[in-house]
């Protein structure tokens, strides 16, 4: 096994294994603790440093080695075993490199990590001030990327547009990403790429909500006034195992929040936003009305 940069799922697997080790007591010890050295020997690892790296998320755990952990830590519950197998599978996923290798370019590491998490997620809850990438029409995506001024050439812009469109395959796979998106009304009025582009983009939102039952769109109207998401956009990514992750996007990086206190606040926030926004059917009618009033 080789060292690796920690990612969300490796950290979670490491913490889960550490918690299991801490639960084990040795009757012949005064403090009863199962140390790193003891556990590493029982599992068959090459010393306590190897187990330390695993528990800190810096080293992968092959699925084939999990039975050794189950035996050392007395894990007999099939549900717990399956949870750990799922976490190990997520932690060792190669999807990140496959997607990014398809589109060579100067993508920042924080976004690369986000792509990895988005591909592994089974559900995404989003509050956004612009039309989110997963719901962007091609011309809208190109216009907004071009105006961001992060790219030095037309080739880089096209590359990033194609990558954004490739991300949308998550909505069309056999087990599609469940997307619940709350869009601030300002995003529907902000002119991106001209009237025809905006008309196509708004119609694209209507079509997606009509054609895909796993895509839910709500509009947060100006009339809602001050609201739970007033501090800014965020995404809640949910996975087959473990708690969700909150992703906040400042200008130069992505913040990944995993503490229970942070998760609780954002889960409460998204619940309030769903209640404050127009319901999905009313949101659909709102967008259709906007198309008729501004672009027909």
């Amino acid at each position: 096994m080789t060292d690796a940069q920690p990612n969300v799922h490796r950290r979670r697997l490491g913490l889960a294994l550490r918690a299991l080790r801490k639960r084990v007591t040795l009757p012949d010890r005064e403090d009863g603790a199962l140390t790193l050295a003891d556990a590493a020997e029982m599992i068959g690892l090459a010393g306590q440093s190897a187990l330390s790296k695993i528990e800190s998320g810096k080293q992968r755990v092959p699925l084939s080695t999990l039975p050794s952990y189950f035996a050392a830590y007395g894990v007999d519950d099939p549900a717990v075993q399956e949870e750990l197998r799922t976490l190990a599978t997520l932690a060792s996923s190669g999807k990140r490199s496959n997607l990014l290798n398809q589109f060579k370019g100067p993508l920042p590491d924080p976004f690369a990590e986000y792509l990895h998490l988005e591909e592994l997620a089974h559900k995404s809850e989003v509050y956004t001030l612009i039309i989110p990438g997963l719901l962007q029409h091609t011309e809208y995506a190109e216009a907004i990327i071009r105006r961001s001024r992060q790219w030095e050439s037309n080739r880089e812009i096209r590359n990033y547009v194609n990558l954004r469109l490739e991300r949308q395959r998550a909505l069309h796979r056999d087990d599609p990403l469940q997307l619940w998106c709350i869009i601030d009304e300002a995003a529907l009025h902000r002119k991106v790429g001209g009237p025809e582009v905006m008309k196509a983009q708004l119609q694209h939102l209507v079509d997606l909500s009509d054609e895909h039952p796993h895509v839910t769109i709500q509009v947060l109207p100006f009339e809602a006034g001050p609201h739970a998401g007033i501090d800014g956009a965020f995404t809640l990514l949910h996975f087959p195992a473990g708690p969700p992750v909150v992703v906040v996007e400042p200008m130069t990086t992505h913040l990944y929040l995993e503490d229970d206190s942070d998760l609780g606040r954002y889960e409460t926030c998204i619940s309030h936003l769903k209640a404050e926004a127009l319901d999905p059917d009313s949101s659909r009618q709102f967008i259709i009305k906007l198309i008729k009033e501004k672009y027909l």
Side-chain angles (χ1 to χ4, degrees):
M1 292 181 290
T2 59
D3 286 2
Q5 292 297 317
N7 67 21
V8 169
H9 295 297
R10 278 200 295 271
R11 285 196 298 268
R12 289 179 171 184
L13 178 60
L15 288 171
L17 292 174
R18 182 177 186 273
L20 289 173
R21 176 174 63 82
K22 290 290 188 179
R23 286 168 47 187
V24 178
T25 57
L26 300 178
D28 57 343
R29 290 277 181 82
E30 184 175 345
D31 60 4
L34 179 65
T35 66
L36 279 168
D38 295 329
E41 182 177 354
M42 295 168 66
I43 294 166
L45 297 173
Q48 68 180 41
S49 64
L51 184 55
S52 177
K53 290 175 182 177
I54 287 170
E55 291 188 357
S56 62
K58 294 180 179 179
Q59 188 162 291
R60 295 181 178 88
V61 180
L63 277 170
S64 61
T65 66
L66 282 179
S68 298
Y69 293 86
F70 299 158
Y73 300 155
V75 180
D76 300 321
D77 187 337
V80 176
Q81 292 182 358
E82 184 59 28
E83 175 89 358
L84 291 170
R85 289 191 187 96
T86 302
L87 277 175
T89 300
L90 292 170
S92 62
S93 171
K95 287 184 177 180
R96 169 182 174 176
S97 59
N98 290 341
L99 181 58
L100 294 180
N101 286 340
Q102 187 177 349
F103 298 96
K104 304 295 184 181
L107 293 179
D109 286 342
F111 185 64
E113 177 71 6
Y114 180 81
L115 287 179
H116 176 56
L117 293 176
E118 186 177 76
E119 287 204 307
L120 297 175
H122 71 88
K123 179 180 178 182
S124 178
E125 297 178 296
V126 182
Y127 167 62
T128 179
L129 302 172
I130 63 169
I131 307 299
L134 288 174
L135 301 180
Q136 288 179 6
H137 191 268
T138 305
E139 286 77 16
Y140 182 96
E142 181 171 353
I144 208 164
I145 289 169
R146 189 175 295 277
R147 290 292 292 172
S148 71
R149 303 186 186 280
Q150 296 183 43
W151 315 103
E152 297 179 357
S153 68
N154 287 331
R155 181 179 180 277
E156 288 181 356
I157 291 172
R158 287 194 301 271
N159 208 31
Y160 197 64
V161 169
N162 289 336
L163 174 58
R164 179 161 295 182
L165 298 178
E166 183 69 16
R167 284 173 56 201
Q168 297 176 5
R169 289 180 179 269
L171 301 177
H172 306 283
R173 65 197 185 197
D174 292 339
D175 181 20
L177 178 70
Q178 304 293 311
L179 178 63
W180 194 303
C181 187
I182 301 169
I183 304 175
D184 195 282
E185 183 182 344
L188 307 180
H189 293 284
R190 188 174 303 282
K191 296 179 180 178
V192 176
E196 289 303 315
V197 171
M198 284 303 299
K199 177 184 175 182
Q201 175 60 69
L202 295 178
Q203 186 61 51
H204 186 58
L205 295 178
V206 174
D207 293 342
L208 283 171
S209 62
D210 286 346
E211 297 168 6
H212 300 292
H214 53 278
V215 175
T216 302
I217 297 173
Q218 288 185 267
V219 175
L220 184 66
F222 292 141
E223 292 181 358
H227 54 79
I230 201 73
D231 289 332
F234 64 92
T235 299
L236 266 167
L237 292 173
H238 300 259
F239 305 95
V245 172
V246 178
V247 186
V248 183
E249 301 179 41
M251 183 173 290
T252 58
T253 188
H254 286 59
L255 300 179
Y256 300 96
L257 307 179
E258 304 174 70
D259 290 344
D260 288 343
S261 60
D262 291 324
L263 289 175
R265 289 178 181 178
Y266 279 95
E267 287 174 328
T268 299
C269 181
I270 201 74
S271 295
H272 283 309
L273 286 170
K274 288 178 180 179
E276 293 166 344
L278 300 175
D279 64 60
D281 185 61
S282 298
S283 295
R284 179 183 180 278
Q285 295 303 322
F286 184 95
I287 297 171
I288 291 173
K289 182 181 178 183
L290 189 60
I291 295 172
K292 291 178 178 178
E293 290 177 348
K294 302 187 84 169
Y295 301 112
L296 291 182

